[in-house]
Amino acid sequence: MSLAVENLQVCYRTLHGDVNAVDGVTFEIADGEIAGLAGESGCGKTTLAKSLIRLDGRMRHITGRVALDGTELPIANDTAMNRFRFREVSLIPQYAQSALNPTRKIGRLTSELLRSRGVAYDEKLPELKRRLALVGLSADVLDRYPIELSGGMKQRVVMVLSTLLDPSLLIADELTSALDVSTQKAVAEMLVEFRDRGFVKSTIVITHDLAILNQIADTIIVMYAGKLVERGPAASIVHDPRHPYTRMLLGSLPEVGARFDEHRLKGIAGRPPSLLDPPAGCRFRDRCPLEFSKCAEQPPFVEFEPGRHAACWKVAA
Amino acid sequence: MLRLEGVTKEFKTGTFGGKRIAAVSDISFEIRPGEIVSLIGESGSGKTTIGKLVLRLADVTEGSITFGDQDVTRLDGHALRGYHASVQGVFQDPFSSYNPVFKADRVLDLIRRPYLPGLSADQWDERRRVSLESVGLDPATCLGKYPHQLSGGQLQRLLIARALMLDLKLLVADEIISMLDASTRIDVLNILGDLASRGLGVLFITHDLSLGHYISDRTVILRRGRVVELGATRTVFSDPRHAYTRMLLDSVPQLNAKWTTGRSLAESEPADEACGPLVEVSQGHFVASEAS
């Protein structure tokens, strides 16, 4: 078991009160697993990922524990987490452009990064060049400034840098969202390649795009309004979704193949509840066509079939 | 209804504007009433530039754009305002189209004086109600609210409703659903489909092939400012002839099929095929000839 998250609760402090962006989340990720974390904007997927590496000033850890390879991560303690960052837990941010220091050449940037972790740049250089070649970049990029690289190249540089110390857990936040379709495919396949070559043990891919996850993820976790709604193997989530939210979300995605005049797709009416003061019971209740009296009670996130979890009274029954 | 012929737009760059860069070159296609034409391309392909040229937010360098029997490129003053009464645009980011200080329905009032000065208060209210309802908005829930109280989908529909209050013939929809959540974007798309079946022409600009396929009647695939393939959406998607179109279609992540891998990481950047003149391969299906 590479990563185990137990009843994690993280909130944002705002002037109006605490916003429970991640509200009691429990899951595990196995060694070598690529887990996709999917959900719409504001569902808490980025907050969940951020809390695994660094809580920013507005965020507060309320309860729950996170263990990586059996060691508990001190996620509430910013300085104690430093030991784990980059070595054990690493992040690929959404915009590679803003991740690279524009005033440093890539090589110098890497050497500073490694020195901050007590690793000698010269020692890592052969491996760094080997990995750059693997993603189709020549060693020349080390002598270039970020501005001299294209968006796809920058994204690949960032991928190589974040995985240079072979972290146990890699978090890729909306990695492909800002890229063109052709680059998107190449970058997504690179994530799988990195896993296959053992550069990273397990990966969390955060995205709103379920179709991308269908291509690269082993398991998919679906979030809604700060809670997990469904988790299971990627193929079963995509082809046999059980939670009404997952079903309706998948039903609203236009695919190459669907056409307006032949098969009209439907969206989900309404909008997610405010997390400032979330309603009691199931949070999808207001938008759910299967809603019944029992939904006023929060359904537990249970395993209804081996390997498949969902939080819905209709599924568990 | 709207016809582009040999449209080229160049921008000046470099010191003293000495260099010229062609954002789009030699674009020709037309939009008929009740037809949705999707303009699909990756970033930098010039799709937004074409939208701007059609809306006269930018001037063409060469070529002509005609709307009915009007030459759009020469309109000014009163005639341009008349053109804007029948051709309107809706853009990508609904949140930046609104002034957060004012209530959201103020965007509707903005068009009243220039375009509909003769309406009485009752006529105005009635017209507003009809157009809000045609985009699936309830006037009671969206009037008198500030932008932050409405969702992205509602704001975007309010902008479409504003365009519909005019005697609209053509809507330029530039990435209008890219910023919306998956569960609500399809509703906005369906509205475009409904409006088109009532006779509105739509220029649907997108980078997302599946959206283009879902909604449009004809498709124009752009690459680096040139048309690589043009034809009925069904034909282009089921029988893509240009290597670039095929590459795009192969790269789209799908729910019912896995990617065929095999392309090595090193050659992930697509090769640069030359784009020659368009050749008609079948009825209404044009493909740029590939120099081999």
Side-chain angles (χ1 to χ4, degrees):
Chain A
M1 193 77 47
S2 178
L3 177 78
V5 176
E6 210 182 297
N7 193 30
L8 182 68
Q9 209 175 339
V10 175
C11 74
Y12 282 97
R13 286 173 295 174
T14 69
L15 289 175
H16 304 287
D18 287 354
V19 175
N20 291 304
V22 173
D23 202 353
V25 163
T26 304
F27 64 92
E28 308 90 41
I29 296 176
D31 281 352
E33 182 175 322
I34 296 184
L37 190 57
E40 298 180 84
S41 39
C43 72
K45 54 189 193 302
T46 298
T47 313
L48 174 55
K50 267 173 132 180
S51 56
L52 298 178
I53 185 156
R54 180 171 187 264
L55 294 171
D56 69 34
R58 301 166 302 153
M59 292 161 77
R60 205 178 60 210
H61 173 233
I62 297 177
T63 175
R65 50 192 298 274
V66 178
L68 184 66
D69 298 323
T71 322
E72 185 164 344
L73 292 181
I75 58 166
N77 186 335
D78 199 27
T79 17
M81 266 304 283
N82 251 336
R83 203 158 61 80
F84 296 95
R85 291 187 190 122
F86 194 27
R87 277 183 185 281
E88 298 295 327
V89 188
S90 197
L91 174 84
I92 304 176
Q94 177 169 4
Y95 297 106
Q97 272 84 338
S98 48
L100 298 170
N101 184 343
T103 65
R104 296 277 189 279
K105 287 180 178 166
I106 305 291
R108 173 138 176 239
L109 186 135
T110 317
S111 97
E112 287 176 352
L113 191 64
L114 289 171
R115 205 173 335 124
S116 76
R117 301 289 131 167
V119 181
Y121 177 59
D122 293 342
E123 220 172 274
K124 275 280 170 192
L125 194 58
E127 179 66 15
L128 177 62
K129 286 184 176 163
R130 207 170 64 79
R131 291 191 183 183
L132 284 173
L134 188 72
V135 299
L137 296 174
S138 74
D140 300 348
V141 295
L142 296 174
D143 275 327
R144 303 239 206 119
Y145 285 101
I147 197 173
E148 298 175 86
L149 308 176
S150 75
M153 288 166 89
K154 273 186 264 198
Q155 191 66 274
R156 282 181 273 171
V157 166
V158 171
M159 281 181 75
V160 169
L161 292 192
S162 358
T163 54
L164 199 54
L165 295 183
D166 297 344
S168 227
L169 175 68
L170 178 70
I171 302 164
D173 191 358
E174 297 280 8
L175 176 69
T176 56
S177 309
L179 302 174
D180 280 331
V181 274
S182 50
T183 331
Q184 192 178 47
K185 181 182 176 191
V187 166
E189 283 175 343
M190 240 170 260
L191 268 186
V192 179
E193 176 94 19
F194 275 30
R195 188 268 316 262
D196 293 347
R197 289 182 182 254
F199 296 170
V200 293
K201 238 197 244 167
S202 31
T203 311
I204 299 182
V205 183
I206 300 170
T207 178
H208 59 275
D209 189 347
L210 279 161
I212 278 272
L213 293 182
N214 184 43
Q215 307 299 328
I216 60 167
D218 303 309
T219 54
I220 294 180
I221 302 170
V222 183
M223 277 188 88
Y224 182 76
K227 288 194 177 284
L228 301 190
V229 296
E230 191 163 358
R231 174 161 79 92
S236 64
I237 294 274
V238 170
H239 299 295
D240 178 29
R242 297 295 181 84
H243 194 283
Y245 174 65
T246 322
R247 284 188 186 189
M248 292 175 80
L249 187 62
L250 283 162
S252 72
L253 300 178
E255 280 241 41
V256 173
R259 281 185 58 83
F260 173 75
D261 42 13
E262 289 161 2
H263 174 67
R264 195 183 166 123
L265 300 168
K266 275 219 308 269
I268 311 178
R271 54 196 294 205
S274 156
L275 295 178
L276 201 56
D277 183 23
C282 175
R283 292 183 178 177
F284 188 56
R285 192 163 46 141
D286 293 342
R287 302 169 83 185
C288 184
L290 304 177
E291 192 253 346
F292 70 124
S293 58
K294 204 166 182 193
C295 296
E297 227 177 290
Q298 170 63 41
F301 190 64
V302 291
E303 189 162 20
F304 62 91
E305 257 175 44
R308 298 200 58 183
H309 298 68
C312 179
W313 293 114
K314 290 278 185 185
V315 173
Chain B
M1 181 173 54
L2 183 90
R3 182 189 286 276
L4 282 77
E5 250 167 87
V7 170
T8 299
K9 172 71 185 171
E10 288 178 344
F11 288 104
K12 288 179 184 165
T13 59
T15 333
F16 309 117
K19 280 189 202 162
R20 287 170 158 264
I21 287 184
V24 294
S25 33
D26 197 18
I27 305 285
S28 306
F29 66 90
E30 72 170 318
I31 303 174
R32 294 183 274 262
E35 186 180 53
I36 301 184
V37 174
S38 59
L39 209 52
I40 300 178
E42 298 189 293
S43 39
S45 62
K47 52 192 194 297
T48 296
T49 305
I50 294 177
K52 282 184 177 165
L53 294 174
V54 169
L55 287 168
R56 266 297 298 272
L57 296 174
D59 290 320
V60 300
T61 312
E62 246 176 79
S64 73
I65 302 177
T66 47
F67 180 72
D69 47 13
Q70 275 179 313
D71 183 354
V72 175
T73 53
R74 281 179 216 281
L75 295 177
D76 55 5
H78 197 72
L80 184 59
R81 179 172 292 178
Y83 174 68
H84 280 153
S86 34
V87 179
Q88 282 281 319
V90 177
F91 301 95
Q92 180 167 10
D93 184 354
F95 304 98
S96 67
S97 300
Y98 289 86
N99 186 336
V101 173
F102 295 110
K103 288 181 175 159
D105 53 36
R106 182 172 179 268
V107 297
L108 301 177
D109 299 330
L110 288 175
I111 60 165
R112 185 167 178 184
R113 207 142 56 110
Y115 294 109
L116 301 162
L119 290 186
S120 72
D122 284 349
Q123 283 173 318
W124 170 261
D125 284 349
E126 176 60 16
R127 191 170 244 209
R128 186 168 65 175
R129 192 186 58 76
V130 169
S131 91
L132 286 176
E133 277 170 6
S134 66
V135 297
L137 284 176
D138 177 8
T141 58
C142 66
L143 295 179
K145 294 269 174 65
Y146 286 96
H148 71 269
Q149 294 172 300
L150 299 170
S151 71
Q154 282 172 317
L155 293 173
Q156 204 63 296
R157 279 185 277 176
L158 203 56
L159 290 171
I160 300 175
R162 172 175 74 169
L164 291 175
M165 287 179 75
L166 306 170
D167 185 20
L168 198 67
K169 303 280 194 319
L170 176 73
L171 182 72
V172 176
D174 189 354
E175 298 272 14
I176 57 166
I177 58 174
S178 311
M179 302 267 297
L180 305 181
D181 268 329
S183 65
T184 46
R185 60 179 11 185
I186 200 74
D187 292 327
V188 177
L189 209 52
N190 285 338
I191 287 166
L192 287 187
D194 288 336
L195 294 173
S197 55
R198 282 192 252 149
L200 182 73
V202 180
L203 179 61
F204 184 70
I205 299 172
T206 185
H207 66 279
D208 190 326
L209 284 104
S210 42
L211 298 180
H213 180 257
Y214 176 70
I215 201 70
S216 67
D217 304 302
R218 285 193 303 132
T219 296
V220 179
I221 309 260
L222 284 177
R223 184 184 194 205
R224 299 190 184 164
R226 288 178 177 276
V227 175
V228 296
E229 192 152 355
L230 183 163
T233 302
R234 252 174 242 272
T235 325
V236 172
F237 279 77
S238 62
D239 181 24
R241 294 295 181 87
H242 198 278
Y244 179 69
T245 316
R246 283 199 292 271
M247 189 277 299
L248 280 183
L249 279 168
D250 285 344
S251 310
V252 177
Q254 294 197 42
L255 287 170
N256 50 20
K258 290 267 190 179
W259 276 329
T260 46
T261 45
R263 209 144 51 100
S264 79
L265 297 174
E267 52 182 338
S268 53
E269 296 285 316
D272 192 6
E273 289 96 16
C275 271
L278 291 177
V279 179
E280 185 162 17
V281 287
S282 63
Q283 179 70 32
H285 185 185
F286 294 86
V287 180
S289 54
E290 290 169 50
S292 52

